Amino acid sequence: MGKHHVAALLFLPVLILSSCSSRPGPLDDSRLRETDQETSNWLMYGRTYDDHRFSPLKQINEDTIGKLGLAWSRELGTTRGLEATPLVEDGIIYTTGAWSLVYAIDAKTGEIRWTYDPKVPRERAYFICCDVVNRGVALYKGKVYVGTLDGRLIALDEHSGTPVWTAATTGDAKQYSITGAPRIAKGMVIIGNAGAENGVRGYISAYDAETGKMTWRFYTVPGDPSKGFESKAMETASKTWKGEYWKTGGGGTPWEGIVYDPTLDLLYFGTGNATAWYRAIRGEGDSLYTASIIAVHARNGELAWYFQTTPGENWDYDATQPLMQADLTIGGRARKVIMQANKNGFFYVLDRETGEFISGAPFVNGVTWATGLDPKTGRPIESPGAGELKPTIVSPSPDGAHNWNPMAFSPATGLVYLNAKVGTQFLHAPDPKWKYDAERSNLALDGMYDGPLNAKLIGMPPATGELVAWDPVAQKAAWRVSNPTVEDGGVLATGGNLVFQGRGDGVLAAYRASDGKQLWTFDAGTGIMAPPVTYTVDGTQYLSVMAGWGGAPGLFNAPGSGPVKHGYGRILTFTLNGTATLKAPPFGHKEPPVPAITTNASPKTIHEGNLLFNANCGPCHGINAVAGPVPDLRYASKEVHQDFENIVLGGSRASAGMPSFKNILNTTQVRAIQAYVVARAAESSKQVK
Ligand code: CA
């Protein structure tokens, strides 16, 4: 054996070791199960299968946080909401933006490696309730998976961004959309859908990650009985519906909150509201399996158990908020639990093997729809008259006491950190004359908001936003921080005894995890909804977050939301001693509007225009025509006014995301809306509201 061979033998173990530390092989199931160990990366939506969003990294910690500075920022050229959790593998960030665009970005420099645009038809915006958002991708064995607003699930090559396969998960039905991130469970890509506001039948599907072939599908609500039920679970559910329920689709869309337990081989997800919103209109009964937390066997998609958080749902209390798994000692007993801070204001702790209710408590003050939960079953005790067919102001609002924004769990403190919205209210005015209409949304809400939803005007205290540290064993808050804005971002917890959260006013803040003391802030230039993530590149810890204000709260732009900041969306990355400066392009109008045309419409017409505007245009162009991410029509030019009817009915700006309303509105109504917009411009011309 010569010298050469000895050297080769000596080097061999070293080579293996170095390749282990930098790249532990393909991102497969065994590596996903061990992601907790892999602190350099952020490989899954919630970092680990249990969705803790906790990173043990601690270079950035309660002592060094003062040195945290911007490393780089990257403008994404959109004014729409950004909700994605960036995933990070070996120094590359994989994230999504508005209209389901996918980006691969160098984590160290911010340089874009590739962009993939699925070219979602912009007229799809009409059937998307809550902005053209996307919450991120999944990574598995060299592929990047994204769900698109028009219901496709696409696998991309991780290195080039080139599509490998596409599955049309919602077919041609334009009422469906996908905003949620796909999840991975033993070789399958799991994807849900949204659209219960329009009237669709919800389902969740599993696709072979390699080929895109569907493995199974679980419907969340029963279909037409005359066609036979897909399963015993559907037959059981059908008994909890009245009339010809299948004609509306039923709803129950699983649009977020999907997690997998590889040990129990159970896949958990939440389901949305029923169609229509109001049970007295769609028919009394629990409407299974809407507004529920569901466990199915990952191997075949068959129901393992369900827990309905809001039976006979009536207030848009989707149960699609993040689901978090933990092993907790409760009452002296080790329990495998699953937890959720539900839209309906209650924090639930369930046994994730059986679905048994362990405990539940309101995590915010001012819940009006229920007085509590049955301590044995967890079924809510509704307030008297809560589901009656009459206009009622209810708290929490349909946006929930907590929504899709991810929460975090620190094993060091034993606390769950989440953004909570306290005292949000909504006037539920059910429309007894409602009939299902496939061309429009199907809430059965009677118009919308004659006048602002300002809490002061309805004689209730204004809503507030909080960062809450919740003790899930004791079911009580350990601490609360009051935020200046009602709507804030998702949360990250770290081994540095830190909790990070972005806010609606554009501030990214760090708090001490143990007591909530604010230690650091940074102005990201626009409101933040998305959760930060942390990872290392070449041994240095970084923190990244998508900043971009939108979603339902940003589009609707409700009065009383606090000092929210609209602007252009960007991704920001921080590190200790980072010295970059954020140069945020200016956004919005500095001067009061000057009406481009005059109107001689009667006050009655303008009032009708007000009602029509808030019902049809307000969900995107802002309540009372005060807009954020999309054009503020008080500033509309003469050209826009000249083309007004053609834009609204003719769809002349469909490619820009303004769909045609020809199936919804007629010419007279469009003229009334236009008169209202001009009146609002004149009214606002002295001061910008
Ligand atoms: Ca909903």
Side-chain angles (χ1 to χ4, degrees), residues 255-257 318-323 340-344 402-404:
W255 56 268
E256 193 42 74
D318 303 327
T320 47
Q321 297 71 56
L323 291 164
Q340 185 181 66
N342 194 282
K343 258 189 177 185
N344 72 13
H402 175 236
N403 205 326
W404 59 269

Side-chain angles (χ1 to χ4, degrees), residues 185 187-188 200 243 284 353 365 488 567 669:
M188 295 179 290
V200 297
E284 295 287 337
E353 291 187 278
N365 287 325
D488 300 301
Q669 290 172 316

Side-chain angles (χ1 to χ4, degrees), residues 129-130 195-197 253 255 271-274 277 313 315-320 343 398 403 443:
C129 76
C130 309
E197 267 66 37
T253 41
W255 56 268
T271 58
N273 58 280
W277 273 5
E313 202 285 312
W315 308 273
D316 192 25
Y317 294 153
D318 303 327
T320 47
K343 258 189 177 185
N403 205 326
L443 308 178

Side-chain angles (χ1 to χ4, degrees), residues 395-461:
S395 181
S397 74
D399 198 42
H402 175 236
N403 205 326
W404 59 269
N405 314 70
M407 52 189 197
F409 175 77
S410 166
T413 62
L415 300 173
V416 178
Y417 304 93
L418 67 124
N419 68 308
K421 295 169 272 183
V422 188
T424 61
Q425 304 109 5
F426 187 84
L427 174 65
H428 283 278
D431 176 9
K433 298 189 296 294
W434 168 81
K435 278 199 173 56
Y436 176 73
D437 178 347
E439 294 300 328
R440 58 173 71 213
S441 79
N442 284 287
L443 308 178
L445 187 63
D446 185 13
M448 246 175 159
Y449 332 120
D450 181 9
L453 275 181
N454 196 324
K456 253 192 291 188
L457 295 180
I458 57 176
M460 292 173 94

